Amino acid sequence: MPADTRPLVLSCPLPRSLDLIFAPAARAVLHDRYHIVETTDAALPGLPDGTLAEVRHIIGQPPLDEATLARLESLRCIFNVESNLLNNMPYDAAFARGIHVVTTGAVFAQPVAEIGLGFALALARGIHTADADFRAGREKWGGAGNAGARLLTGAAIGIIGLGDLGRALARVLAGFQPQLRVFDPWLAPSQIRAQAATPATLAEVLANSDVVFVTAAVTSENRAFLGAESFAAMKPGASFILLSRADVVDFPALMAAVASGHINAASDVFPEEPLAADHPVRSLPGFLLSAHRAGALDVAFTRMGDMVLEDMALIDRGLPPQVCKRAERETVARMRSRPVVAN
Amino acid sequence: MPADTRPLVLSCPLPRSLDLIFAPAARAVLHDRYHIVETTDAALPGLPDGTLAEVRHIIGQPPLDEATLARLESLRCIFNVESNLLNNMPYDAAFARGIHVVTTGAVFAQPVAEIGLGFALALARGIHTADADFRAGREKWGGAGNAGARLLTGAAIGIIGLGDLGRALARVLAGFQPQLRVFDPWLAPSQIRAQAATPATLAEVLANSDVVFVTAAVTSENRAFLGAESFAAMKPGASFILLSRADVVDFPALMAAVASGHINAASDVFPEEPLAADHPVRSLPGFLLSAHRAGALDVAFTRMGDMVLEDMALIDRGLPPQVCKRAERETVARMRSRPVVAN
Amino acid sequence: MPADTRPLVLSCPLPRSLDLIFAPAARAVLHDRYHIVETTDAALPGLPDGTLAEVRHIIGQPPLDEATLARLESLRCIFNVESNLLNNMPYDAAFARGIHVVTTGAVFAQPVAEIGLGFALALARGIHTADADFRAGREKWGGAGNAGARLLTGAAIGIIGLGDLGRALARVLAGFQPQLRVFDPWLAPSQIRAQAATPATLAEVLANSDVVFVTAAVTSENRAFLGAESFAAMKPGASFILLSRADVVDFPALMAAVASGHINAASDVFPEEPLAADHPVRSLPGFLLSAHRAGALDVAFTRMGDMVLEDMALIDRGLPPQVCKRAERETVARMRSRPVVAN
Amino acid sequence: MPADTRPLVLSCPLPRSLDLIFAPAARAVLHDRYHIVETTDAALPGLPDGTLAEVRHIIGQPPLDEATLARLESLRCIFNVESNLLNNMPYDAAFARGIHVVTTGAVFAQPVAEIGLGFALALARGIHTADADFRAGREKWGGAGNAGARLLTGAAIGIIGLGDLGRALARVLAGFQPQLRVFDPWLAPSQIRAQAATPATLAEVLANSDVVFVTAAVTSENRAFLGAESFAAMKPGASFILLSRADVVDFPALMAAVASGHINAASDVFPEEPLAADHPVRSLPGFLLSAHRAGALDVAFTRMGDMVLEDMALIDRGLPPQVCKRAERETVARMRSRPVVAN
């Protein structure tokens, strides 16, 4: 039997699975190109030295200490397909060795952006409430049903956080030719202008926007940074659409701002998930509810496998990864997402 | 008192009103430039010869016989702001004299296109049903709630009827880079390609589209042209979105196709409006309901006045109208919309 | 032999020819669908009554008097494929009968717009002069050769005349995201804004633009309307690019403005064509010369045949023509182009 | 006198200068925010330990050995404003410490892309040759001058190398809606599709394109990779436009392909610069010549300073640089550009 020349890849992708993130055709390519050794976070350090020494890629985000990392002599890239960066490995040591740590969360950008636009249109035009009224026999016909209806075309739109999700949102909004303001303290102004948007302060975004989209990841600096004052600063009747993580807002303050009628809101994320059966937001009018389902589409998960295969191919040829997003020294310790439990 | 040199304009815009279609600033311009004589459909023929002889423009769609038209010696343009062309005037005689008859229905294109996209996203992602479930305490979290969820990006979209509404829809869809097929028997193929769409037969649109938008006006040729066979030809799970007039579909057949689970649907228009309290569509799952409210926004109505002012200004300078849509000899007798009663 | 049921079409397209404007495949379709009777301007009135009575379409711009027009009882459309509207037929009588008169000059829009952009880049970057210098052994290397070099991206661009050509130009300029100002007295401001341009006065266009494109047809009102004062009003170093007709400018004044170094220019049209061998513009630096060749591409001419076939097909089905441009009562007498002699 | 708390920046930007790359306003900001110590490549290692220990940023590409790098204890980023990466510092040691090495060559992308499009239009329409003919009294009028004229709209365009320059080119081409094929072995296919282009092999690009743009940097793998066989594989009459570095082509083979009439070409770069006075390309018809002036515009150089300021500001805040391009471990040793001598 000929020697197996395929590069060795460790697979410990929990909470994901290879079945979830690789479509059948991609799965076949994976096994064709690579020798996949499936393991678990717990079992990994116990693998033989010879095995660990050959590993070129890891698919997953296993906890690693300095010793185990040192045994992974040939390691080039860790593909964190869970996509939230936990503080569970010696990143500095990895970066010093030139080991890339990349994430695949970009797959969620398109589905979340699309549903985010759907939320904005639903709030602007009362799509969901009009359907409910119609079913209850209390619908209003014609213009009578349009108090508060607003066009998105040419509207003032604010985006907080212009990562993959914010950019995908700007793209689906393109057909509406909005006046786009972006607040993102981790980007240079020229990067924002390159997206046909105006760099703005948080205050400017809140004060001027008809719709505010929050697409920023949670970091050590922005926990609950949107609170009562932020919502009070928004335009009367504006929409607040939360797409990234609940921890960036003071959720009770948001509910209060909606309950007062000052703004309306939509959210795909909540302080606890699942949410308690008696949580007041369940009965709050003007708040469009979505049970953290904006990203979790089959086509999103299988795109992860495609991205991993593309970058592994580049790395195999001695090139740097280009498709997945790289964890950076400067920021890896500042991410504060809670780990994903369910897909 | 100096002679009034302002051109004379008759105003009989029912069911609209000057207050509805002219914002305050535009209303002021109107009265500044023109001598407005307000009248009614019934009273118009009884106006003095001298008055009728001076009329340059009519805002409205008053019934006219050949004799009255002949008395309107200076008439250049009839601005039908109701926007459905009734067979209530001798169009041939008007056209022979070079009198333009124009409509302002284009104002509804943007609002209807926007809500149409909102319907498509609501159906593709279950936005309204997920909110209802959440409120009822039966929401599904994460991917579990995404059976049947679909992306619009890159999807196969079909548009039936590429007038102002169809084009506005293509524009708001631009950010989704769809594969766009258009069926419109009143256009040349090159006009469809100029909108980055593929000319297609009705059968091709129905068979290939993930979402079918019906944006075609009712004509003498297309009443109920979409029936049981059309819906059966659609892809399983596709969305049918009716935005123009209910008379182009066999409505019971549409409901049956939705009830069977073969497709889902959204409609802003119904066979009778208002709809009977016990109409079965009110309790049909998979059918998103909107009580003919897609176009009737204040900003749409006031755009009518702006369009009328722009075209009156062109005509006053001896140029043809460019902004409102002209009624054509060939098609004016073939339009079959029911008149608007309420705004 | 079965009766020939094909509609009868008269063909007298001089100075064009059927070979020029119909590609082989389109030519075959033409003869397949229609009974083509080739004639000449002079011979047409002498054709038998029976023939003239059956003519549905005319391809050409034959002189017609009221009597001949009356004999053309079935005529629906005159396809003026020369594209300049001569005052050689009773247009009012034609329009009164609902006979369409259409032109096919839109075929030139794309080729002229492309070369117009090429002229702008050549002037902005000295492309032609640098090549000439290089061949003469006097080239300047690197930045030394870039005095006066300017980017088009984000530049202030002015377009005078926003017909088919002006719009095609706006389209090819899209990748440069210019600040676009448009002066066109025959359009409403909303039409200009719909092209992502700002409506402006002629003075504003001249004073603010880095590049001024003249794409306006000659009319009875605009002969030589761009003269010494216009050029003096332009920004120092700006480019003036003449793409439509020489008669809209005071050509000696243009040459003087270029000779003074105030602006540079490009032109595809000249006061006399061909131009005298000793005309001073031939030796004027800063003036890019093109011998009226911007539109006359084979692919443009054959597009005429395609457009004619598409509109004839619509008209045959009782619909109005959509693709070719219609002559309008209000403006047909105001066009002042000189007829085309050569293709 | 208060202590100078401004971060210390070493400036040794030859062959650039601070005056060249910082516009006056940006220069003022630079000195306001940073303590600039101007030095030279030779003098740098001789600076006091105390000074080197405080240096946060270096503007320039000074040769550094491991010892000097070690003395630069606080160094976070080297801004190589020359933009070609020389193998003159221990990159591995720098990367291991997390020191970023970035380049500013992206400033040339827009100017080079614009002139590249100008070259393509000049070749497609004979703009420069028609002007020369006109001046020499041998111009051809109308269609007679258009043998070989071609439209870019909808044409098959090939781009070899999709870095900043290739992407800028794709952007200015957007208004022409080309069929875009891209060959770039350093990118994943999904990155190419994200630019609305089709990933293709080199052979496919050469065989199918009406215009081939070479925008790829020289690497250790692609020296003279375009030779006689490549040009022979191109479509007859196609245009070859060389915008990056002459070393990627076999220049005599290119001249031969042009001399044979098989293709035409444009180039901004040459095997030796300046080029010998008797070099045969100077008299080769069908070859548009530009003396390496495509990028060197004042506005490009001053954008370098803006980029440096933006990234220094991010780094000062503990964030990674985002605007300038990072040198990568995997590729830094494979770049093979010759250093810039003149600006």
Side-chain angles (χ1 to χ4, degrees):
Chain A
M1 179 172 126
D4 187 349
T5 58
R6 298 172 304 169
L8 201 154
V9 174
L10 287 188
S11 170
C12 41
L14 282 180
R16 313 292 183 207
S17 67
L18 295 185
D19 277 336
L20 178 70
I21 69 176
F22 286 88
R27 187 77 187 271
V29 169
L30 177 73
H31 290 284
D32 188 66
R33 291 184 188 167
Y34 302 100
H35 175 198
I36 305 297
V37 171
E38 304 200 47
T39 184
T40 65
D41 289 0
L44 188 153
L47 292 172
D49 284 351
T51 302
L52 290 187
E54 282 188 54
V55 171
R56 178 177 292 180
H57 305 296
I58 294 176
I59 299 177
Q61 185 185 196
L64 298 172
D65 58 16
E66 299 237 16
T68 312
L69 185 63
R71 294 164 63 206
L72 290 157
E73 298 169 13
S74 308
L75 183 61
R76 293 195 202 171
C77 191
I78 297 172
F79 289 88
N80 176 348
V81 293
E82 193 268 5
S83 295
N84 294 295
L85 290 159
L86 301 177
N87 197 8
N88 72 349
M89 64 177 74
Y91 289 106
D92 282 351
F95 296 147
R97 280 178 50 189
I99 296 168
H100 295 286
V101 179
V102 301
T103 56
T104 52
V107 302
F108 299 122
Q110 200 65 36
V112 178
E114 289 201 9
I115 206 176
L117 176 57
F119 291 160
L121 287 164
L123 288 173
R125 305 300 289 275
I127 292 177
H128 54 306
T129 50
D131 178 75
D133 285 351
F134 209 123
R135 290 174 183 283
R138 58 174 187 253
E139 75 279 8
K140 293 182 185 162
W141 288 84
N146 276 334
R150 171 184 60 224
L151 290 184
L152 281 197
T153 298
I157 307 269
I159 297 180
I160 297 177
L162 198 68
D164 291 309
L165 173 53
R167 291 169 210 225
L169 190 54
R171 275 195 306 273
V172 293
L173 282 169
F176 295 87
Q177 297 159 331
Q179 313 169 40
L180 210 49
R181 286 180 182 79
V182 169
F183 168 66
D184 189 324
W186 284 18
L187 295 182
S190 68
Q191 292 177 280
I192 293 172
R193 285 190 208 100
Q195 298 290 326
T198 304
T201 64
L202 179 59
E204 286 166 343
V205 166
L206 293 170
N208 291 291
S209 301
D210 299 309
V211 185
V212 174
F213 290 94
V214 180
T215 50
V218 184
T219 71
S220 50
E221 289 126 46
N222 67 13
R223 197 179 288 277
F225 80 112
L226 294 163
E229 287 178 11
S230 315
F231 305 125
M234 286 177 63
K235 291 166 70 167
S239 297
F240 181 88
I241 300 183
L242 179 53
L243 299 173
S244 47
R245 282 290 187 266
D247 287 352
V248 296
V249 308
D250 173 340
F251 206 83
L254 176 58
M255 289 197 298
V258 171
S260 77
H262 176 57
I263 59 173
N264 56 36
S267 187
D268 186 57
V269 288
F270 298 87
E272 292 83 40
E273 297 176 6
L275 199 65
D278 61 352
H279 195 286
V281 79
R282 292 178 181 274
S283 54
L284 180 53
F287 204 125
L288 176 53
L289 305 168
S290 174
H292 204 157
R293 52 196 288 283
L297 270 61
D298 290 348
V299 291
F301 287 119
T302 55
R303 171 105 188 97
M304 283 191 184
D306 296 338
M307 292 171 72
V308 168
L309 280 173
E310 281 198 318
D311 268 349
M312 293 203 302
L314 288 173
I315 292 169
D316 291 346
R317 294 171 42 222
L319 293 165
Q322 297 267 356
V323 183
C324 303
K325 176 189 281 198
R326 301 199 208 164
E328 304 258 34
R329 252 188 188 84
E330 290 90 343
T331 52
V332 67
R334 293 154 79 167
M335 308 305 297
R336 286 288 177 271
S337 257
R338 273 170 280 147
V340 167
V341 173
N343 288 305
Chain B
M1 177 171 128
D4 187 349
T5 57
R6 297 172 304 169
L8 201 153
V9 173
L10 285 188
S11 170
C12 42
L14 282 179
R16 315 291 184 206
S17 67
L18 294 186
D19 278 337
L20 177 70
I21 69 175
F22 285 89
R27 188 77 186 270
V29 170
L30 176 72
H31 290 283
D32 189 67
R33 291 184 188 165
Y34 302 98
H35 176 197
I36 306 297
V37 170
E38 303 200 46
T39 184
T40 66
D41 290 359
L44 190 151
L47 291 172
D49 284 351
T51 301
L52 290 187
E54 283 189 53
V55 170
R56 179 178 292 180
H57 304 297
I58 294 176
I59 299 176
Q61 186 185 196
L64 298 172
D65 57 17
E66 298 238 14
T68 312
L69 185 63
R71 293 165 64 206
L72 291 157
E73 299 169 13
S74 309
L75 183 60
R76 294 196 201 171
C77 191
I78 297 172
F79 289 89
N80 177 349
V81 294
E82 193 267 5
S83 294
N84 294 296
L85 291 159
L86 301 177
N87 199 7
N88 72 348
M89 63 176 74
Y91 289 105
D92 282 351
F95 295 146
R97 279 179 51 189
I99 296 167
H100 294 286
V101 179
V102 301
T103 56
T104 53
V107 303
F108 299 122
Q110 199 64 38
V112 178
E114 290 201 8
I115 207 176
L117 176 57
F119 291 159
L121 288 164
L123 288 173
R125 305 300 289 274
I127 293 177
H128 53 307
T129 50
D131 178 74
D133 285 351
F134 209 124
R135 289 172 184 285
R138 58 175 187 253
E139 75 279 8
K140 293 183 185 161
W141 288 85
N146 276 334
R150 170 182 62 223
L151 289 185
L152 282 196
T153 297
I157 307 268
I159 297 180
I160 297 177
L162 198 68
D164 291 310
L165 174 53
R167 292 169 209 225
L169 190 54
R171 274 196 305 274
V172 293
L173 283 169
F176 294 86
Q177 298 160 330
Q179 312 169 40
L180 210 49
R181 287 180 182 79
V182 169
F183 168 66
D184 190 324
W186 284 19
L187 294 183
S190 68
Q191 292 177 279
I192 293 172
R193 287 190 208 99
Q195 297 290 324
T198 303
T201 63
L202 179 59
E204 286 168 341
V205 165
L206 293 170
N208 291 292
S209 301
D210 299 307
V211 185
V212 174
F213 290 94
V214 179
T215 50
V218 183
T219 71
S220 51
E221 290 126 44
N222 67 12
R223 197 179 289 276
F225 81 112
L226 294 162
E229 287 178 12
S230 315
F231 305 124
M234 285 177 63
K235 290 167 69 167
S239 297
F240 181 86
I241 300 182
L242 179 53
L243 298 173
S244 46
R245 281 292 187 266
D247 287 353
V248 298
V249 309
D250 173 341
F251 206 84
L254 175 58
M255 289 197 297
V258 171
S260 76
H262 176 55
I263 59 172
N264 56 36
S267 187
D268 185 58
V269 288
F270 298 86
E272 292 82 40
E273 298 176 4
L275 199 65
D278 60 352
H279 195 286
V281 79
R282 290 178 181 275
S283 53
L284 180 53
F287 204 125
L288 176 53
L289 305 168
S290 174
H292 206 158
R293 51 197 289 282
L297 270 62
D298 289 348
V299 291
F301 288 119
T302 55
R303 172 104 187 96
M304 283 193 184
D306 296 338
M307 293 171 73
V308 168
L309 281 173
E310 281 198 320
D311 268 349
M312 293 204 303
L314 289 172
I315 293 169
D316 291 346
R317 294 171 43 223
L319 293 165
Q322 296 267 357
V323 182
C324 301
K325 176 189 282 199
R326 302 200 206 163
E328 305 257 33
R329 255 186 186 85
E330 290 89 344
T331 53
V332 67
R334 293 154 80 168
M335 308 304 298
R336 287 287 179 271
S337 257
R338 272 171 280 148
V340 166
V341 175
N343 289 305
Chain C
M1 176 175 129
D4 186 348
T5 58
R6 297 173 304 169
L8 200 155
V9 174
L10 285 188
S11 170
C12 41
L14 282 179
R16 314 291 184 207
S17 67
L18 294 186
D19 277 338
L20 177 71
I21 68 175
F22 285 89
R27 188 78 185 270
V29 169
L30 177 72
H31 291 283
D32 188 68
R33 290 184 189 167
Y34 303 99
H35 175 197
I36 306 297
V37 170
E38 303 200 46
T39 183
T40 66
D41 289 0
L44 189 152
L47 291 171
D49 284 351
T51 301
L52 290 187
E54 282 189 53
V55 170
R56 178 178 292 180
H57 304 296
I58 293 175
I59 300 177
Q61 186 185 194
L64 298 172
D65 58 17
E66 298 238 16
T68 311
L69 185 62
R71 293 165 63 206
L72 290 157
E73 299 170 11
S74 308
L75 182 61
R76 293 196 203 172
C77 191
I78 296 171
F79 289 89
N80 177 349
V81 294
E82 193 267 6
S83 295
N84 294 295
L85 290 159
L86 300 177
N87 197 8
N88 71 347
M89 64 175 75
Y91 288 106
D92 282 352
F95 296 146
R97 281 178 50 189
I99 295 167
H100 295 286
V101 178
V102 301
T103 57
T104 53
V107 302
F108 299 122
Q110 200 64 39
V112 179
E114 289 201 7
I115 206 176
L117 176 57
F119 291 159
L121 287 165
L123 288 174
R125 305 299 290 276
I127 293 177
H128 53 306
T129 50
D131 177 76
D133 286 351
F134 208 124
R135 290 174 182 283
R138 58 175 188 253
E139 75 278 8
K140 293 182 185 162
W141 288 85
N146 275 334
R150 171 183 59 223
L151 289 185
L152 282 196
T153 297
I157 307 268
I159 296 179
I160 298 177
L162 198 69
D164 291 310
L165 173 54
R167 292 170 209 223
L169 190 55
R171 276 196 305 272
V172 293
L173 283 169
F176 295 87
Q177 296 158 331
Q179 312 169 41
L180 211 50
R181 287 181 183 78
V182 169
F183 168 66
D184 190 325
W186 283 20
L187 295 183
S190 68
Q191 293 177 278
I192 293 172
R193 286 190 207 99
Q195 298 290 325
T198 304
T201 64
L202 179 59
E204 287 167 341
V205 166
L206 293 170
N208 290 292
S209 301
D210 300 308
V211 184
V212 174
F213 290 95
V214 180
T215 51
V218 184
T219 70
S220 50
E221 288 127 46
N222 67 12
R223 198 180 288 277
F225 81 112
L226 295 162
E229 288 179 11
S230 315
F231 305 124
M234 286 177 63
K235 290 167 71 167
S239 297
F240 182 86
I241 299 182
L242 180 52
L243 298 173
S244 45
R245 283 291 188 264
D247 287 352
V248 298
V249 308
D250 172 341
F251 206 83
L254 175 58
M255 289 196 299
V258 172
S260 76
H262 176 56
I263 59 172
N264 56 36
S267 188
D268 185 58
V269 289
F270 298 85
E272 292 82 38
E273 298 176 4
L275 198 65
D278 62 351
H279 195 286
V281 78
R282 291 180 181 273
S283 53
L284 181 54
F287 203 125
L288 176 54
L289 306 168
S290 173
H292 205 158
R293 51 196 287 283
L297 270 62
D298 290 348
V299 291
F301 288 119
T302 55
R303 171 106 187 96
M304 283 192 184
D306 295 339
M307 292 171 73
V308 168
L309 280 173
E310 281 198 318
D311 268 351
M312 293 205 300
L314 288 173
I315 293 170
D316 291 346
R317 294 171 43 223
L319 293 165
Q322 296 267 359
V323 182
C324 301
K325 177 190 280 198
R326 301 198 208 166
E328 304 258 32
R329 256 185 184 84
E330 290 89 344
T331 53
V332 68
R334 292 154 81 170
M335 307 305 298
R336 285 288 178 269
S337 257
R338 272 171 281 149
V340 166
V341 174
N343 289 306
Chain D
M1 178 173 126
D4 187 349
T5 57
R6 297 172 304 169
L8 201 154
V9 174
L10 287 188
S11 170
C12 42
L14 283 179
R16 314 290 185 207
S17 67
L18 295 186
D19 277 337
L20 176 71
I21 69 175
F22 285 89
R27 187 76 186 271
V29 169
L30 177 71
H31 289 286
D32 188 67
R33 290 183 190 169
Y34 302 99
H35 175 198
I36 305 298
V37 170
E38 305 201 45
T39 182
T40 66
D41 289 1
L44 188 153
L47 292 172
D49 284 352
T51 301
L52 290 187
E54 281 189 55
V55 170
R56 178 177 293 181
H57 304 297
I58 295 176
I59 299 176
Q61 188 186 194
L64 298 171
D65 58 16
E66 298 237 16
T68 312
L69 184 62
R71 294 165 63 206
L72 290 156
E73 297 170 13
S74 308
L75 182 61
R76 294 196 202 171
C77 191
I78 297 172
F79 289 88
N80 176 349
V81 295
E82 193 268 7
S83 294
N84 295 296
L85 289 159
L86 300 177
N87 197 8
N88 71 349
M89 64 176 75
Y91 289 105
D92 282 352
F95 296 146
R97 281 178 51 188
I99 294 167
H100 295 286
V101 179
V102 301
T103 56
T104 53
V107 302
F108 300 121
Q110 200 63 39
V112 178
E114 289 200 9
I115 207 175
L117 176 56
F119 292 159
L121 288 165
L123 288 173
R125 303 301 288 276
I127 292 176
H128 53 306
T129 50
D131 178 76
D133 286 350
F134 208 123
R135 290 173 183 283
R138 58 176 188 252
E139 75 279 9
K140 293 182 184 162
W141 288 85
N146 275 335
R150 171 184 60 223
L151 290 185
L152 282 196
T153 298
I157 307 269
I159 297 179
I160 298 177
L162 198 69
D164 290 310
L165 174 54
R167 291 169 209 224
L169 190 54
R171 274 196 306 272
V172 293
L173 282 169
F176 294 88
Q177 297 159 330
Q179 312 169 40
L180 210 50
R181 288 180 182 80
V182 169
F183 168 66
D184 190 326
W186 284 19
L187 294 183
S190 68
Q191 292 177 277
I192 293 172
R193 287 190 206 99
Q195 298 289 325
T198 304
T201 64
L202 179 59
E204 287 166 343
V205 166
L206 293 170
N208 291 291
S209 301
D210 300 307
V211 185
V212 174
F213 290 94
V214 180
T215 51
V218 184
T219 70
S220 51
E221 288 127 45
N222 67 13
R223 197 180 289 276
F225 81 112
L226 294 164
E229 287 179 11
S230 314
F231 306 123
M234 287 177 63
K235 291 166 69 167
S239 297
F240 181 88
I241 299 183
L242 180 53
L243 298 173
S244 46
R245 282 292 187 265
D247 287 352
V248 297
V249 308
D250 172 340
F251 206 83
L254 176 58
M255 289 196 299
V258 173
S260 76
H262 177 55
I263 59 172
N264 55 37
S267 187
D268 185 57
V269 287
F270 298 87
E272 293 83 39
E273 298 176 6
L275 199 65
D278 61 353
H279 194 286
V281 79
R282 291 179 182 274
S283 53
L284 180 53
F287 204 125
L288 175 54
L289 306 168
S290 174
H292 205 157
R293 51 198 287 283
L297 270 62
D298 289 348
V299 291
F301 288 120
T302 55
R303 172 104 187 98
M304 282 193 184
D306 295 339
M307 292 172 72
V308 168
L309 281 173
E310 281 198 320
D311 268 349
M312 293 204 300
L314 287 173
I315 292 170
D316 291 346
R317 293 171 43 222
L319 292 166
Q322 295 268 357
V323 183
C324 301
K325 176 190 281 197
R326 300 199 208 164
E328 303 258 32
R329 255 186 185 84
E330 290 89 344
T331 53
V332 68
R334 293 155 79 168
M335 306 305 297
R336 286 287 177 270
S337 258
R338 273 170 280 146
V340 167
V341 174
N343 288 308

